[in-house]
Amino acid sequence: MKLKELESCLQQVDTFEEPKILLEQYPTSPHIAACMLYTIHSTFDDIEGKLVADLGCGCGVLSIGAAMLDAGLCVGFDIDEDALDIFRRNAEEFEICNVDLVQCDLCCLEAEAYAKKFDTVIMNPPFGTKHNQGMDMKFLRAALTMAQTAVYSLHKTSTREHIQKKAKDWGVKMEVIAELRYDLPASYKFHKKKSVSSYAASEHMFSISCNCRETLKLILIHFSKPFICYSHMQT
């Protein structure tokens, strides 16, 4: 499947009907999701035929995209039942059978419950700001525990040095493989602004327009072995 075809398909994925601000439910745009997944698939060969986990999957755009790129199975994890209901509906509408769902709080996940159960983990975690401070690192710790081979995660550029320090502490190889500009969608009543979002991967630049609250600079990070068990990681 080509990149443009993947993005076109993901534009049909339904998103949050009533997003919950406390869960930082901002949808990953079809454009960013497609570029992220296509890079992981075509450059690193970490999707096709792989057992993939999608942490904080929401309505399933990353999981469904991974399934379209022939993941062996993609399992979406999310705490919100409403989001998972939309995910199920999306999967049914696309007639996708190589996805599964788990409702759970990743912050309370037992250390060994899913340790090294997945080849690849993909995620667009909460940014970990304000009331969710540190949530991005909790998601990352869980991801590093669950993956055998690689973790691909979106993070705010401003957290790069902090993540680099954590990766070093955890003995994990970290590589920034793409930079992007992400416009927080105008999902809530106090969001009025409109702007443009761009994604840079290798020599390519992709752009879309969307309603947004503010623009954030993000980085797509590739984490690879050796991984250290979750129970041995320091907060």
Side-chain angles (χ1 to χ4, degrees):
M1 178 178 285
K2 295 182 178 180
L3 174 60
K4 289 185 178 180
E5 182 182 359
L6 177 61
E7 182 176 345
S8 178
C9 290
L10 295 182
Q11 288 173 349
Q12 303 173 50
V13 175
D14 291 336
T15 59
F16 303 105
E17 296 172 351
E18 296 182 1
K20 301 176 176 66
I21 190 171
L22 292 178
L23 296 178
E24 294 191 52
Q25 288 183 334
Y26 297 102
T28 306
S29 74
H31 176 76
I32 289 177
C35 293
M36 174 180 175
L37 292 168
Y38 195 79
T39 299
I40 297 168
H41 170 68
S42 61
T43 303
F44 297 93
D45 192 26
D46 277 332
I47 291 182
E48 185 175 358
K50 307 296 186 182
L51 182 56
V52 179
D54 177 7
L55 306 191
C57 62
C59 300
V61 65
L62 291 179
S63 292
I64 290 171
M68 290 178 175
L69 292 173
D70 297 322
L73 177 68
C74 188
V75 182
F77 292 78
D78 204 284
I79 193 173
D80 185 34
E81 184 176 0
D82 293 334
L84 293 177
D85 284 343
I86 299 173
F87 188 147
R88 291 187 188 93
R89 186 175 70 217
N90 283 324
E92 290 173 359
E93 290 178 353
F94 279 98
E95 298 182 346
I96 289 175
C97 58
N98 54 335
V99 295
D100 201 357
L101 308 178
V102 176
Q103 183 178 3
C104 70
D105 183 350
L106 287 166
C107 297
C108 300
L109 196 66
E110 291 186 12
E112 303 301 325
Y114 292 96
K116 302 296 183 286
K117 300 296 186 183
F118 297 90
D119 299 304
T120 306
V121 176
I122 56 178
M123 62 179 183
N124 182 9
F127 294 132
T129 57
K130 297 181 180 178
H131 54 272
N132 280 334
Q133 188 171 4
M135 190 65 67
D136 52 341
M137 292 297 98
K138 292 179 180 178
F139 267 65
L140 184 54
R141 292 209 312 273
L144 294 172
T145 299
M146 297 166 74
Q148 291 188 35
T149 304
V151 172
Y152 297 88
S153 183
L154 289 167
H155 294 273
K156 292 171 64 177
T157 300
S158 60
T159 64
R160 183 192 300 234
E161 291 185 4
H162 179 62
I163 296 173
Q164 287 175 329
K165 181 180 183 301
K166 288 296 184 182
K168 182 178 180 180
D169 291 344
W170 297 337
V172 177
K173 181 181 177 181
M174 169 188 158
E175 177 187 10
V176 176
I177 59 174
E179 296 183 356
L180 59 98
R181 192 172 74 238
Y182 176 57
D183 292 336
L184 291 180
S187 303
Y188 306 103
K189 293 180 180 179
F190 54 86
H191 294 171
K192 297 179 180 179
K193 186 180 177 183
K194 291 185 178 181
S195 187
V196 175
S197 178
S198 300
Y199 178 100
S202 300
E203 72 277 14
H204 304 291
M205 178 69 75
F206 310 90
S207 298
I208 58 169
S209 296
C210 64
N211 293 326
C212 75
R213 175 170 68 95
E214 63 177 298
T215 299
L216 298 177
K217 292 181 179 180
L218 301 184
I219 47 179
L220 173 59
I221 302 178
H222 173 208
F223 300 90
S224 57
K225 295 190 296 184
F227 291 154
I228 297 177
C229 179
Y230 183 105
S231 59
H232 294 159
M233 293 183 181
Q234 301 297 317
T235 57

